[in-house]
Amino acid sequence: MPRLREVPRAEADAKVAQPLYAQLFGTRDPVAEPGTATGTRGDWWTVFANSPDTLRHAAQGFAYYRSPERKLDPVLRELGQTWAGWATGSQFVFSQHCKSLRGLGVSEDKIAALPVWQTADVFEPKERLVLAYADRLVCHGGRVPDALFEAVKAVFSDEEILELTYITCLYHMHAIMSRALRTEFDDRDDPITEVPAPEGFDALDFLGGTRR
């Protein structure tokens, strides 16, 4: 379960949360009867409903990137979003945007190759450029070498670059928040824990030291 309280339908804000609940869950209370069309529990929405202003702002972000007013090719946009999920370790963001790529007609070969895009030969030059730039945004904190940025500017307009930068960073944020709050597919224990040593193991003997 997520780390924050889920807001049931009866307590959800009438102006912001209730219309979104109706759109996603029909007449169900998503806390009592979870589940969305994409296979998630839907607890991202019920957690964000704790703050109607935050939920409204997030929903506006979704409307922004899906708007027909965007200049950036939606496939390229989704590549940035999907890489943000993978690189941040958010199974939720990665999984959802793999589905979006598939819905846009991207091949299964490309979707499967995303984790190793650096060495995969299935991506077109524009797609590789987007992934390289998204990688610098997400994995290097926006430290983009001049040579890479010049290559991006040679192919994309300033408006397209701004959209790509904003949307990729937005989904980096969503990936971080989903992991921190353990919503949806990110409700899982951290795999990096100490594995107990066998019985009788003495670390000091292993290190060749002497006891004080």
Side-chain angles (χ1 to χ4, degrees), residues 104-212:
L104 291 168
V106 174
S107 70
E108 294 297 328
D109 286 348
K110 285 185 179 180
I111 294 171
L114 264 170
V116 290
W117 69 266
Q118 298 92 335
T119 56
D121 60 4
V122 295
F123 295 103
E124 298 169 11
K126 260 192 173 184
E127 295 170 336
R128 293 185 63 80
L129 201 53
V130 162
L131 287 165
Y133 182 61
D135 182 69
R136 283 287 168 169
L137 294 175
V138 175
C139 299
H140 299 267
R143 191 178 178 195
V144 183
D146 287 343
L148 174 56
F149 203 84
E150 287 168 8
V152 172
K153 285 206 72 171
V155 175
F156 298 102
S157 70
D158 284 9
E159 189 172 358
E160 288 174 317
I161 294 169
L162 185 59
E163 289 179 1
L164 175 61
T165 305
Y166 183 79
I167 294 167
T168 301
C169 291
L170 177 66
Y171 271 78
H172 183 206
M173 179 197 75
H174 279 303
I176 290 170
M177 291 185 68
S178 184
R179 292 192 65 193
L181 302 178
R182 292 184 66 153
T183 59
E184 307 292 3
F185 302 138
D186 292 322
D187 181 20
R188 52 184 181 157
D189 293 338
D190 196 314
I192 309 303
T193 60
E194 181 185 2
V195 177
E199 187 175 350
F201 172 79
D202 189 317
L204 194 61
D205 289 343
F206 178 74
L207 295 171
T210 57
R211 298 189 186 281
R212 294 183 179 180

Side-chain angles (χ1 to χ4, degrees), residues 29-167:
D29 177 351
V31 177
E33 299 179 73
T36 70
T38 63
T40 70
R41 284 181 53 83
D43 56 34
W44 185 95
W45 301 90
T46 55
V47 165
F48 267 62
N50 279 288
S51 168
D53 280 351
T54 305
L55 178 58
R56 179 191 294 110
H57 192 272
Q60 288 170 343
F62 303 148
Y64 163 82
Y65 87 76
R66 294 176 178 178
S67 168
E69 298 299 316
R70 298 287 68 77
K71 304 303 182 188
L72 185 67
D73 183 322
V75 168
L76 300 179
R77 173 201 79 210
E78 288 290 340
L79 286 174
Q81 291 170 289
T82 311
W83 180 251
W86 171 267
T88 311
S90 169
Q91 190 167 11
F92 176 46
V93 171
F94 177 71
S95 178
Q96 293 298 89
H97 290 276
C98 282
K99 295 176 177 65
S100 295
L101 284 169
R102 190 173 291 113
L104 291 168
V106 174
S107 70
E108 294 297 328
D109 286 348
K110 285 185 179 180
I111 294 171
L114 264 170
V116 290
W117 69 266
Q118 298 92 335
T119 56
D121 60 4
V122 295
F123 295 103
E124 298 169 11
K126 260 192 173 184
E127 295 170 336
R128 293 185 63 80
L129 201 53
V130 162
L131 287 165
Y133 182 61
D135 182 69
R136 283 287 168 169
L137 294 175
V138 175
C139 299
H140 299 267
R143 191 178 178 195
V144 183
D146 287 343
L148 174 56
F149 203 84
E150 287 168 8
V152 172
K153 285 206 72 171
V155 175
F156 298 102
S157 70
D158 284 9
E159 189 172 358
E160 288 174 317
I161 294 169
L162 185 59
E163 289 179 1
L164 175 61
T165 305
Y166 183 79
I167 294 167

Side-chain angles (χ1 to χ4, degrees), residues 18-41:
Q18 295 250 9
L20 290 169
Y21 280 15
Q23 181 180 344
L24 290 159
F25 308 106
T27 59
R28 286 181 289 121
D29 177 351
V31 177
E33 299 179 73
T36 70
T38 63
T40 70
R41 284 181 53 83

